[in-house]
Amino acid sequence: MKKSALQTARAAYRPKLPKALQGQVSVKEGAPTESVADQADIQKLFPNTYGMPVLSFEPSSETKNYPAITAGVILSGGQAPGGHNVIAGLFDGLKAVNPDSRLYGFLLGPAGLIEHNYIELTADIIDEYRNTGGFDIIGSGRTKLETVEQFDKGLEILKKLGIQALVIIGGDDSNTNACVLAEYYKKIDAGVQVIGCPKTIDGDLKNEMIETSFGFDTACKVYSEVIGNIQRDCNSAKKYWHFIKLMGRSASHIALECALQTQPNICIISEEVEEKNMSLDDVVKYIADIVAARAAEGNNFGTVLIPEGLIEFIPAMKKLIAELNDFLAHNGAEFAAVAKEEQRQYIIDHLTPENAAIYASLPEGVARQLSLDRDPHGNVQVSLIETEKLLSEMVGKKLADMKKAGEFKGKFSAQHHFFGYEGRCAAPSNFDADYCYSLGYTASVLIAEGKTGYMSSVRRTTLPAEEWIAGGVPVTMMMNMERRHGEMKPVIQKALVRLDAAPFRYFASQRDVWAKETCYVYPGPIQYFGPTEVCDPTTKTLVLEAEGK
Ligand code: FBP
């Protein structure tokens, strides 16, 4: 593989490890744990993996002789910077446990396990991918690992290859499934341990024991660099309002972190919109009022950050989407037969009056996206909705009305952006390179110690890496029961932005100043070489959370 000069230099980077992982490890067990909610239900569903203690690793002087381990690894779901370093850390950790250990990678996500597609990951392959972005070492996929048939099919290949432990690198759903798999293999005494690793740029897999999911740091830094560049452009030309949608699925963690890094004029937080029961018109008015206030001071420019899941959090839109999902699930064939130009009216005629009125008020493009693009479960794919265009169009209309009423005397011209895929495969920041390597290395120790149903956990991440605490957290501890596709299921609790937590509180205390004044911050690109204060800081979210505790 041909490398750029930066890639070559970066390949030589040695990720920093917590002290406990630098030599022999002793494992300290905490008290038995409980799930975050619905304890009786979760305990019943996970009789073999419920209640296990939190584990923390400490440096030890005692030399342990572990037998060689054969392990497998899977990358599951959306890409996130640092995945290759998790695998490198796992590989190096397994070799440190015993040099005869081996690692297999299942190809293109969980499907590789079910379909028996794999490669052996040797030192040559691992070295090619150290400190690089992407998941291309073995690829990723979104196949759900959830049925007993799949588990049994997987077990065939695990047995054939002599694999005694499987590491699943994924988000909340993949780790939930990893735990179901761990429980099943333990129940049937399959002799295969299952360990999870917390991945997702969305930042919504976090709790008391998992401070952050990997990839969030790098992705937010990449988006913030580009937002900063746009803000420079915006402040130079002084003629556009930039509407910037940011990935992140339901939670607004990415938008909030990027706002903390760049100080835009406006950042919408979906969780707040829901909490305040805001309508789409309320959101539009909030933006339009700031545009007008800036225009009154001669500033006909600005930036607006929008989380991709916003639409779902506007209570009235949520109701409309729910009715649309239901209606189209039952009348999809009839709808498809209606001529394209009549489809909008067809929907309006069939919705309840309240939802019909909202649907009729939407711009043509958005109305079409809501009626057409559905996922395999029949749901609207909200990430495909061009919320940035929807909002700017509606703000334009509102400002035209305000102009007539003499409440707006400026100009309004908009540009649109969507940042998501640009950051998911970026070369990991030092933080993600170190954090991911530590997560992988931690997984190797959990395997050597015979653990299953645990997730790698690395804490105190705002301190220098040497002082991080590595260990394991039982996956059942993070679970509660939620309704999914009409049935109550055990799932890892998703972390949305908490309005009472320090990152949001800080943002809320600053946003009126950022709205009025032009006090943009231009973070610039991620730096790999240079002083630690430039290269090593983590996200503002983590820092504020650590300070706010
Ligand atoms: P994961 O939750 O699997 O990590 O995926 C995150 C994400 O990047 C979301 O932010 C985004 O909505 C989604 O994946 C896009 O999915 P796809 O890669 O299938 O287009």
Side-chain angles (χ1 to χ4, degrees):
M1 210 188 295
K2 195 158 166 47
K3 286 199 174 82
S4 69
L6 176 59
Q7 272 179 304
T8 307
R10 188 63 182 158
Y13 177 74
R14 302 271 305 268
K16 304 183 237 1
L17 274 176
K19 209 179 207 100
L21 295 178
Q22 292 174 11
Q24 296 294 321
V25 180
S26 79
V27 181
K28 222 176 110 196
E29 289 196 357
T33 56
E34 296 265 29
S35 59
V36 272
D38 309 311
Q39 290 83 8
D41 291 326
I42 307 282
Q43 181 162 24
K44 210 159 139 206
L45 290 165
F46 295 89
N48 296 289
T49 50
Y50 187 84
M52 300 183 299
V54 168
L55 307 173
S56 6
F57 300 158
E58 289 181 354
S60 161
S61 49
E62 182 203 338
T63 308
K64 289 188 186 168
N65 292 313
Y66 295 103
I69 294 168
T70 302
V73 64
I74 297 176
L75 289 163
S76 181
Q79 287 72 254
H84 290 158
N85 269 27
V86 179
I87 296 178
L90 173 63
F91 180 85
D92 292 351
L94 291 171
K95 292 287 182 189
V97 160
N98 185 312
D100 292 330
S101 296
R102 297 171 79 171
L103 180 62
Y104 288 93
F106 288 96
L107 303 179
L108 293 174
L113 178 71
I114 303 161
E115 292 161 13
H116 300 185
N117 285 327
Y118 61 88
I119 52 165
E120 180 165 2
L121 293 166
T122 55
D124 286 355
I125 300 175
I126 297 285
D127 287 348
E128 275 291 305
Y129 288 92
R130 287 181 192 272
N131 309 311
T132 58
F135 276 8
D136 42 327
I137 187 169
I138 48 174
S140 186
R142 290 199 184 276
T143 301
K144 279 189 186 237
L145 200 51
E146 54 186 355
T147 66
V148 166
E149 292 71 39
Q150 291 173 327
F151 299 167
D152 289 340
K153 196 90 190 89
L155 191 55
E156 283 172 22
I157 189 68
L158 295 172
K159 285 288 165 205
K160 188 169 162 214
L161 296 173
I163 291 176
Q164 68 231 52
L166 188 62
V167 176
I168 299 185
I169 303 171
D172 52 343
D173 282 340
S174 306
N175 275 288
T176 295
N177 294 340
C179 191
V180 177
L181 187 65
E183 175 68 28
Y184 178 73
Y185 284 166
K186 195 145 184 206
K187 182 176 108 185
I188 64 166
D189 209 5
V192 179
Q193 304 155 239
V194 184
I195 301 294
C197 272
K199 170 236 69 168
T200 178
I201 60 162
D202 299 349
D204 57 5
L205 171 46
K206 68 169 176 182
N207 48 54
E208 205 192 323
M209 291 295 155
I210 304 294
E211 292 177 356
T212 186
S213 53
F214 79 76
F216 176 70
D217 183 90
T218 308
C220 288
K221 283 174 178 157
V222 172
Y223 304 143
S224 296
E225 177 202 348
V226 187
I227 294 166
N229 294 349
I230 288 173
Q231 295 195 144
R232 271 277 201 225
D233 194 291
C234 179
N235 200 19
S236 304
K238 302 193 193 293
K239 63 176 181 183
Y240 291 127
W241 271 87
H242 291 266
F243 285 71
I244 304 166
K245 184 173 80 166
L246 292 158
M247 245 187 194
R249 235 182 249 285
S250 303
S252 307
H253 297 292
I254 292 182
L256 178 57
E257 172 62 25
C258 291
L260 294 170
Q261 289 193 29
T262 61
Q263 305 192 172
N265 300 105
I266 299 170
C267 174
I268 308 293
I269 300 296
S270 307
E271 291 82 344
E272 183 184 26
V273 168
E274 184 170 50
E275 171 74 21
K276 292 186 171 166
N277 202 10
M278 288 170 84
S279 64
L280 187 54
D281 189 59
D282 291 335
V283 177
V284 169
K285 185 154 179 4
Y286 171 72
I287 300 172
D289 283 346
I290 292 175
V291 173
R294 283 180 62 80
E297 307 212 335
N299 296 321
N300 290 302
F301 64 94
T303 46
V304 187
L305 305 190
I306 304 152
E308 77 172 357
L310 175 64
I311 288 291
E312 275 182 310
F313 283 77
I314 296 174
M317 291 295 293
K318 205 176 190 166
K319 276 192 219 147
L320 165 65
I321 290 171
E323 190 182 348
L324 263 177
N325 281 346
D326 209 39
F327 175 72
L328 291 173
H330 293 106
N331 304 280
E334 190 180 310
F335 172 70
V338 174
K340 265 211 162 67
E341 55 287 359
E342 286 162 26
Q343 284 183 337
R344 185 177 170 120
Q345 194 54 48
Y346 170 87
I347 288 182
I348 293 170
D349 291 345
H350 287 82
L351 292 177
T352 52
E354 194 191 347
N355 285 335
I358 297 172
Y359 189 77
S361 73
L362 296 174
E364 182 62 37
V366 174
R368 174 154 295 278
Q369 278 156 358
L370 280 182
S371 69
L372 288 184
D373 300 306
R374 325 193 80 72
D375 73 8
H377 305 287
N379 295 314
V380 169
Q381 292 187 57
V382 284
S383 63
L384 295 180
I385 300 169
E386 293 177 314
T387 329
E388 68 285 20
K389 292 193 181 148
L390 166 72
L391 285 181
S392 89
E393 199 169 313
M394 294 181 87
V395 167
K397 282 194 187 135
K398 172 85 58 196
L399 288 167
D401 291 344
M402 288 166 73
K403 201 164 229 171
K404 279 186 209 145
E407 293 160 8
F408 172 57
K409 296 199 173 66
K411 289 186 204 130
F412 176 71
S413 183
Q415 296 287 350
H416 307 106
H417 316 267
F418 170 37
F419 299 139
Y421 299 99
E422 294 81 349
R424 293 201 315 184
C425 281
S429 60
N430 277 359
F431 175 82
D432 269 330
D434 298 345
Y435 182 57
C436 289
Y437 189 80
S438 297
L439 286 172
Y441 211 101
T442 296
S444 74
V445 177
L446 292 170
I447 294 170
E449 290 287 328
K451 306 298 176 192
T452 190
Y454 275 87
M455 190 186 286
S456 280
S457 153
V458 173
R459 288 176 284 134
R460 295 215 303 197
T461 49
T462 51
L463 298 178
E466 281 250 308
E467 295 168 48
W468 291 354
I469 296 177
V473 49
V475 179
T476 51
M477 188 184 171
M478 301 175 239
M479 286 189 171
N480 65 169
M481 300 296 289
E482 283 178 26
R483 184 167 290 281
R484 297 279 167 97
H485 310 301
E487 255 183 81
M488 290 309 278
K489 293 260 183 196
V491 289
I492 294 178
Q493 205 171 48
K494 210 184 246 317
L496 297 177
V497 167
R498 276 181 43 200
L499 304 184
D500 59 349
F504 178 81
R505 280 191 284 118
Y506 177 76
F507 161 73
S509 73
Q510 301 298 310
R511 64 179 158 192
D512 290 347
V513 178
W514 299 350
K516 200 159 172 275
E517 292 166 23
T518 305
C519 42
Y520 302 146
V521 174
Y522 314 113
I526 293 174
Q527 299 295 312
Y528 302 109
F529 304 100
T532 185
E533 65 275 19
V534 176
C535 299
D536 293 339
T538 177
T539 55
K540 306 249 178 227
T541 302
L542 268 182
V543 173
L544 286 163
E545 278 170 352
E547 285 168 358
K549 269 178 196 161

